[in-house]
């Protein structure tokens, strides 16, 4: 049998630190490695697998569409693309009715920045400390962590960073030169940190006052992850632009920029484009995933299980734990020391896959279809490695 791990490491670009296993199959909230070992997956493709791995409805939609039509440029209208737009805009808040389909989260952010500049005629963006919006040139410009930005400077600017949840700093930063304020309702890579209602509401107020746009990045928080269909529902705030990806496609690489009529109409014809964005295969997967989320009300499941899960993690009596926080099934356990050794032990000793969110946080992003019994096993595994 070929050593697939060594082959991947030999030819890979090297930008990722690799786990010492090869995953070959997934179903629901479980994955299996090449040796047949079964894992509880609390990585979920970095928050992609909201409907579970190999969701039957998504698989069926992809199979049927693959046999019919896989690629079609956006200059040629598609019934499946129209169905995707109709399904998505029925779920998004009132006023967010125009869609630009993308292939990933970072592309959604990149496009949103262009739409914001085109609509306002302004250049400046406001982001937040600890923010993560992607790694391509535009999105990395909004990403706080210096290790992502500094090697590639000069990046796109001007960008001003304000402390997350600091209302006064935000109000002071937004001026007549600001094109948009870009905020994650819950910071993911930044440590699983929810926004305060006052912060997001102030962002909406000050952008309206100054003629700027509000962009909410729900790439990780969208589609039920936080206990609401979209995290913005926790705050009663509707942005001018909503960036989406991850859970939107049930595992297919895709994303979307959803915006108001005014924002969409500000972009000149040909001002933005994509070869693969909006292809029928991705659109079919997106329709199936969104329908599954809606019909099974997975956000309610995330709210119930996530609340229970966080309380159980908080009950772990360990001096190593600083805080447990999050919303729904987007959960972070911040330690008083590096989290990496505990993430490794969870995998090797307990067959539980988790991921980091900064140097000291263990992050849990399980599929929203995960069973409570699996989360009980996760809690016990965490308790044991911390002991």
């Amino acid at each position: 049998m070929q050593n697939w791990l060594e082959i991947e490491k030999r030819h890979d670009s090297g930008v990722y630190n690799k786990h010492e296993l090869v995953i070959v199959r997934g179903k629901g909230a479980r994955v299996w490695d090449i040796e047949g070992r079964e894992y509880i997956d609390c990585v979920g493709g970095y928050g992609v697998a909201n409907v579970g791995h190999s969701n039957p409805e998504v698989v069926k939609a992809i199979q049927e569409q693959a046999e019919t039509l896989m690629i079609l440029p956006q200059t040629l209208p598609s019934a499946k693309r129209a169905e995707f737009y109709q399904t998505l805009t029925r779920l998004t808040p009132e006023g967010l009715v125009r869609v630009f389909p993308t292939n990933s989260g970072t592309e959604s952010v990149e496009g949103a920045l262009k739409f914001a500049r085109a609509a306002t005629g302004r250049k400046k963006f406001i982001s937040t400390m600890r923010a993560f919006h992607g790694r391509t040139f535009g999105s990395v410009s909004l990403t706080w962590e210096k290790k992502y930005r500094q090697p590639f400077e000069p990046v796109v600017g001007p960008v001003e960073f304000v402390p997350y949840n600091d209302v006064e700093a935000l109000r002071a930063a937004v001026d007549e030169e600001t094109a948009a304020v870009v905020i994650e309702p819950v910071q993911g890579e930044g440590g699983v940190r929810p926004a305060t209602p006052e912060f997001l509401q102030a962002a909406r107020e000050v952008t309206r006052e100054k003629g700027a746009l509000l962009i909410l990045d729900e790439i990780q928080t969208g589609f039920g992850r936080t206990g609401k269909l979209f995290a913005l529902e926790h705050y009663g705030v509707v942005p001018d632009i909503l960036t989406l990806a991850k859970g939107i496609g049930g595992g297919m690489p895709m994303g979307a920029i959803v915006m108001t009529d005014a924002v969409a109409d500000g972009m000149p014809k040909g001002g933005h484009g994509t070869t693969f964005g909006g292809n029928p295969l991705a659109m079919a997967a997106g329709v199936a995933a969104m329908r599954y989320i809606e019909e099974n009300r997975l956000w309610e499941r995330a709210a119930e299980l996530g609340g229970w899960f966080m309380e159980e993690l908080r009950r772990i009596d360990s001096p190593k734990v600083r805080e447990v926080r999050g919303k729904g099934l987007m959960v972070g356990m911040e330690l008083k020391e590096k989290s990496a050794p505990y993430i490794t032990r969870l995998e090797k000793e307990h067959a539980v896959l988790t991921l980091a969110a900064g140097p000291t946080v263990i992050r849990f992003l399980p599929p929203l279809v995960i069973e409570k019994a699996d989360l009980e096993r996760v809690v016990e595994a965490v308790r044991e490695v911390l002991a």
Side-chain angles (χ1 to χ4, degrees), residues 141-304:
S141 305
L142 306 173
T143 293
W144 167 250
E145 182 60 55
K146 292 181 180 178
K147 70 179 181 181
Y148 295 131
R149 282 187 294 115
Q150 284 187 337
F152 312 106
E153 290 177 340
V155 290
V156 177
V159 176
E160 183 174 344
F161 292 93
V162 299
Y164 196 65
N165 286 332
D166 188 328
V167 172
E168 294 308 312
L170 176 64
R171 287 189 177 278
V174 181
D175 57 25
E176 286 72 16
E177 301 299 318
T178 304
V181 174
V182 189
I183 300 175
E184 302 160 274
V186 182
Q187 290 186 326
E189 294 285 332
V192 191
R193 301 174 191 276
T196 62
E198 295 80 10
F199 186 64
L200 282 195
Q201 289 160 10
R204 180 66 286 183
E205 291 167 6
V206 71
T207 49
R208 283 192 174 132
E209 290 169 6
K210 299 295 185 179
L213 302 184
L214 176 62
I215 301 173
L216 289 187
D217 180 342
E218 291 234 29
I219 289 163
Q220 191 167 131
T221 57
F223 300 100
R225 172 60 56 187
T226 68
K228 298 286 187 181
L229 188 55
F230 297 103
L232 56 82
E233 296 173 43
H234 292 287
Y235 302 96
V237 171
V238 178
D240 303 287
I241 303 176
L242 183 63
T243 60
L244 302 170
K246 293 191 184 290
I248 195 173
M252 279 290 289
M254 63 179 302
I257 310 163
V258 193
M259 66 202 92
T260 64
D261 282 319
V263 171
D265 291 341
M267 178 68 77
K269 293 290 186 185
H272 197 49
T274 170
T275 298
F276 290 102
N279 71 80
L281 193 64
M283 299 293 92
V287 169
M290 287 188 286
R291 283 181 177 167
Y292 188 90
I293 290 168
E294 185 179 22
E295 290 170 3
N296 292 276
R297 302 183 71 82
L298 290 188
W299 59 90
E300 294 178 356
R301 184 179 181 83
E304 180 181 353

